[in-house]
Amino acid sequence: MKLYELTIKEAHELLKKREISSQELTRAVLDRIAAVDEKVGAFITVAGESAIAEAKLADKAIGKGDIRTLTGIPVAIKDLICTKGIRTTCASKILDNFIPPYDATVISKLKQEGAVIIGKLNMDEFAMGSSTENSGVKLTRNPWDLTRIPGGSSGGSAAAVAADMCLGAFGSDTGGSIRQPASHCGVVGLKPTYGRVSRFGLVAFASSLDQIGPLAKDVTDCAILAGAVSGYDPSDSTSVPRDVPDYSSFLTEGLKEVKIGIPKEYDSTQGLDPEVSSAVMNARKVMEKLGGKCVEISLPNTQYAVPVYYVIAPSEASSNLARFDGVKYGFRDKEKENLMDMYRSTRSKGFGPEVKRRIIIGTYCLSAGYYDAYYKKASQVRTLIMEDFRKAFEICDLILSPVAPTPAFKIGEKADDPLTMYLSDIFTLSANLAGIPGMSVPCGFSSGGLPIGLQLMGKHFSEEMLFKAAYNFEQATDFHKRKPEI
Amino acid sequence: MCEIRSPKDEKADSLQPKNLQPFVNRKPETRDQKPNIMKITREDIIHVADLARLEMDEDSIRKFAVQIDDILRYVETLSNVNTEGVQPTTHAIFLTNAFRDDEEKQNFDRDALLGNAPEKENGNFVVPKVVG
């Protein structure tokens, strides 16, 4: 077996037995990146030198018998999570030259666990998009079909994991940005409960929705990565002081008595591909065979998730992105001689079209005379969406649904039609609006050989339930074992 | 880069329809009621872009007006939902204020923070002239 193909758990066992070193593993992954990333385009920055230095430190620690699950494991990071000394661009021209002077809390935690940071991954600019086509840096292609998008906004993260260019990755999810690319690339992705993982050092898009989470080759690795970064952080006032269960201890057999909610509205969703629908139906049968009990639930306000999201997210973004003004960091148009001209020119040249579109929608929705009709109305409907979930979870433990209505679409197919692109987020947005955890697990392939993902959603802070269900599903199927040929 | 045009550009002004109602007074309407009226006009785009400190060329303004109009029409479906008496949600997790002791500590080195500044001098950020 090639070292870069290992899962985290497998690599950890070999490192523990000293059958391989972290340096060998890290070099194998760097070689893999050199071999295939020209085609895939997942990385914005490959941090080869510092990764090797970190691998040496890991080997030293292992030599002394000090090994944790992530010691010496190469992981890659979406380029909107601050990494001290490694350029963090948000795939935007406006942060093209930004080198963070500090590590995000998730990065400090990963370093404490001994992980090796191998590089920074491509994404839609400021995480705004569902295809990674909005990157201001480069195009990322789906490893399963290079003419298709990898999903987004964490497209680089999903593609890198699928193409074995890292053993695991981190992304961020504001409306499906971890789950949808995970689904399109055939990997496992988790959006944790809002407040579960510190957002300190995550460049903010929509602060009431953003959450950092892992993308991994299987459920076991996903649980390892989630456990490593979860927990309260005094530096993030929205992180929740609550103990983190040992997620790996929930990876045991048996779904008996687990009640799985099937939303009655989802199957009639417009634009739901029949192959996706049948893969999800099949997953439901697998869950039932494993002992799960399916119950019909109703989420009547889910149909409003897209309009609610596309008011709330741009509104918060228009406020968050006000900080990019050419003063403290990033790009500045130095030609301009007065402050206001400098602001305007810097922002106009620095931001790409989708970011500008959302800033304008957000500013409009928050502006005088429109606030009640748009922002307040959307925030009220958000309450109703949360209420739907609260009621549903009175009769079920988790909810099963598709992740995306179709498999990965062609590059350029929706590029000129933002509304159609937004509609592809229909199944994932509501978890962010309600703050609940959501997970994507491979559950099938289309007739064209494209991966299809299954979404599991749970109550606030019930990640362990998602891991347990996903683990059981994975044990009963072998979709996660297929690899793309690049 | 694209051609930069000021929001106050004369040519742009001349394209504005006459008797435009003040921006703040126009209320959103549903497509059914007013099928031919844009939810957001190019003038709105120019105004809002100015608020957001963005400049746009004429092509982008036209394109944005159509695309954003589509999006806002879609958002209008929210008017079908009865939200009377419903509290708005701004935060999905119940959390009260997060307080900490007011202790002085140095989180960052000043020079490290200034390291990314496009222009700096004597430990300060430098900006272009603010008043003439």
Side-chain angles (χ1 to χ4, degrees):
Chain A
M1 187 175 206
K2 293 167 183 116
L3 292 186
Y4 56 77
E5 288 184 350
L6 294 171
T7 65
I8 292 173
K9 178 125 187 279
E10 291 165 347
H12 171 67
E13 294 302 328
L14 294 175
L15 285 165
K16 203 159 71 177
K17 286 190 254 171
R18 317 242 187 123
E19 286 179 24
I20 59 168
S21 71
S22 173
Q23 285 178 73
E24 285 164 351
L25 180 62
T26 304
R27 282 185 209 282
V29 170
L30 287 170
D31 288 347
R32 173 72 175 169
I33 296 170
V36 298
D37 202 39
E38 205 172 300
K39 287 183 190 162
V40 178
F43 282 83
I44 289 179
T45 304
V46 179
E49 215 170 288
S50 59
I52 293 292
E54 286 166 13
K56 279 183 186 162
L57 284 177
D59 285 335
K60 224 180 209 176
I62 295 169
K64 288 189 210 148
D66 176 15
I67 179 165
R68 295 157 188 259
T69 319
L70 288 179
T71 305
I73 303 289
V75 295
I77 311 292
K78 187 176 182 181
D79 212 17
L80 49 30
I81 297 174
C82 287
T83 40
K84 188 174 182 177
I86 304 175
R87 196 166 73 115
T88 299
T89 67
C90 288
S92 180
K93 203 184 158 197
I94 211 159
L95 279 178
D96 183 49
N97 57 1
F98 177 62
I99 297 173
Y102 67 100
D103 275 327
T105 299
V106 294
I107 302 298
S108 321
K109 283 184 171 239
L110 288 171
K111 286 183 177 171
Q112 272 164 25
E113 294 294 313
V116 171
I117 309 294
I118 199 127
K120 303 299 290 287
L121 298 160
N122 198 23
M123 52 185 278
D124 287 297
E125 184 179 2
F126 284 101
M128 297 179 186
S130 313
S131 68
T132 312
E133 290 166 295
N134 294 333
S135 168
V137 179
K138 66 199 291 192
L139 195 64
T140 299
R141 295 169 184 278
N142 191 315
W144 293 88
D145 177 348
L146 297 174
T147 66
R148 290 176 188 271
I149 57 106
S153 65
S154 309
S157 304
V161 174
D164 289 318
M165 292 189 281
C166 56
L167 271 68
F170 283 87
S172 65
D173 190 314
T174 306
S177 283
I178 289 173
R179 291 160 286 158
Q180 185 255 23
S183 168
H184 285 343
C185 292
V187 301
V188 176
L190 172 78
K191 180 205 92 75
T193 306
Y194 185 80
R196 177 85 287 183
V197 177
S198 168
R199 295 182 297 116
F200 179 71
L202 169 75
V203 179
F205 160 15
S207 304
S208 81
L209 305 164
D210 296 340
Q211 187 64 196
I212 295 174
L215 295 97
K217 294 180 186 180
D218 63 18
V219 176
T220 304
D221 282 6
C222 190
I224 292 168
L225 292 171
V229 299
S230 292
Y232 175 66
D233 174 16
S235 299
D236 174 3
S237 63
T238 62
S239 86
V240 176
R242 193 175 162 129
D243 289 341
V244 181
D246 174 9
Y247 295 135
S248 299
S249 72
F250 289 87
L251 307 180
T252 54
E253 274 177 35
L255 277 184
K256 284 216 172 64
E257 303 309 312
V258 173
K259 284 187 243 93
I260 299 163
I262 313 286
K264 66 175 185 188
E265 292 84 5
Y266 281 5
D267 212 38
S268 57
T269 301
Q270 223 185 344
L272 178 61
D273 184 293
E275 287 189 318
V276 172
S277 177
S278 87
V280 173
M281 282 305 274
N282 180 55
R284 172 190 171 163
K285 285 181 198 145
V286 173
M287 292 292 200
E288 280 174 332
K289 251 187 219 159
L290 293 166
K293 277 177 74 177
C294 290
V295 289
E296 189 185 81
I297 56 158
S298 177
L299 300 170
N301 291 295
T302 297
Q303 57 171 315
Y304 299 111
V306 177
V308 168
Y309 180 88
Y310 281 97
V311 171
I312 291 175
S315 294
E316 293 185 15
S318 71
S319 166
N320 272 326
L321 270 59
R323 75 192 56 174
F324 300 103
D325 59 3
V327 174
K328 299 177 289 299
Y329 34 65
F331 166 75
R332 170 190 290 191
D333 184 355
K334 292 186 174 160
E335 304 292 303
K336 300 294 168 182
E337 285 174 3
N338 80 60
L339 187 66
M340 197 58 86
D341 288 347
M342 187 280 281
Y343 285 158
R344 287 202 183 100
S345 182
T346 294
R347 289 166 61 79
S348 302
K349 289 180 178 170
F351 292 135
E354 180 62 20
V355 175
K356 286 182 192 165
R357 194 151 42 229
R358 297 208 196 181
I359 289 175
I360 287 182
I361 294 170
T363 308
Y364 181 76
C365 290
L366 293 175
S367 63
Y370 290 84
Y371 179 88
D372 280 2
Y374 290 111
Y375 186 77
K376 189 179 167 202
K377 183 80 182 181
S379 304
Q380 286 174 310
V381 181
R382 183 178 184 183
T383 305
L384 298 176
I385 291 170
M386 290 181 71
E387 195 60 14
D388 283 356
F389 280 110
R390 196 189 57 73
K391 283 184 195 149
F393 286 127
E394 282 174 1
I395 57 166
C396 68
D397 303 304
L398 51 89
I399 294 172
L400 186 148
S401 84
V403 177
T406 66
F409 45 88
K410 290 264 185 194
I411 290 166
E413 192 179 317
K414 299 183 183 180
D416 275 337
D417 188 356
L419 183 56
T420 309
M421 184 81 91
Y422 295 175
L423 291 172
S424 70
D425 300 335
I426 180 87
F427 295 113
T428 47
L429 296 173
S430 50
N432 299 79
L433 293 168
I436 59 173
M439 195 169 176
S440 175
V441 193
C443 76
F445 286 86
S446 71
S447 48
L450 298 169
I452 297 171
L454 168 74
Q455 179 171 230
L456 298 168
M457 293 182 281
K459 298 171 196 173
H460 290 139
F461 300 101
S462 71
E463 281 81 358
E464 59 273 21
M465 175 64 81
L466 300 186
F467 284 128
K468 190 177 173 66
Y471 176 77
N472 276 275
F473 180 76
E474 195 179 72
Q475 293 295 304
T477 57
D478 57 3
F479 305 114
H480 63 292
K481 287 184 185 149
R482 275 211 232 171
K483 294 217 179 256
E485 276 175 40
I486 304 160
Chain B
M1 265 319 278
C2 51
E3 181 200 350
I4 305 299
R5 191 189 288 270
S6 151
K8 295 283 176 236
D9 191 299
E10 273 182 20
K11 198 171 162 196
D13 278 343
S14 70
L15 292 169
Q16 289 182 10
K18 300 273 160 26
N19 306 321
L20 186 73
Q21 283 179 287
F23 175 76
V24 292
N25 289 336
R26 273 185 294 119
K27 290 277 181 274
E29 290 143 332
T30 65
R31 182 167 222 162
D32 299 340
Q33 289 165 337
K34 302 268 177 174
N36 297 320
I37 294 185
M38 299 276 280
K39 302 240 57 86
I40 188 162
T41 61
R42 57 182 302 290
E43 292 71 31
D44 293 337
I45 301 276
I46 293 166
H47 174 75
V48 172
D50 187 49
L51 292 176
R53 307 288 179 254
L54 289 171
E55 295 168 331
M56 280 187 299
D57 60 43
E58 195 56 35
D59 269 0
S60 305
I61 293 169
R62 280 182 212 281
K63 207 168 162 184
F64 272 29
V66 174
Q67 289 171 335
I68 295 176
D69 189 62
D70 263 2
I71 294 162
L72 292 177
R73 280 181 195 285
Y74 185 65
V75 165
E76 283 299 307
T77 55
L78 293 180
S79 60
N80 300 330
V81 188
N82 181 3
T83 50
E84 212 181 305
V86 177
Q87 286 297 313
T89 294
T90 51
H91 197 269
I93 298 289
F94 181 76
L95 268 185
T96 47
N97 286 335
F99 291 113
R100 60 165 172 78
D101 292 335
D102 188 17
E103 288 164 346
E104 188 181 325
K105 56 180 178 181
Q106 191 170 2
N107 286 315
F108 292 106
D109 176 70
R110 188 186 186 115
D111 288 337
L113 282 189
L114 281 163
N116 278 291
E119 213 182 326
K120 58 193 177 244
E121 200 179 296
N122 302 326
N124 296 300
F125 296 111
V126 174
V127 294
K129 207 186 256 183
V130 180
V131 279

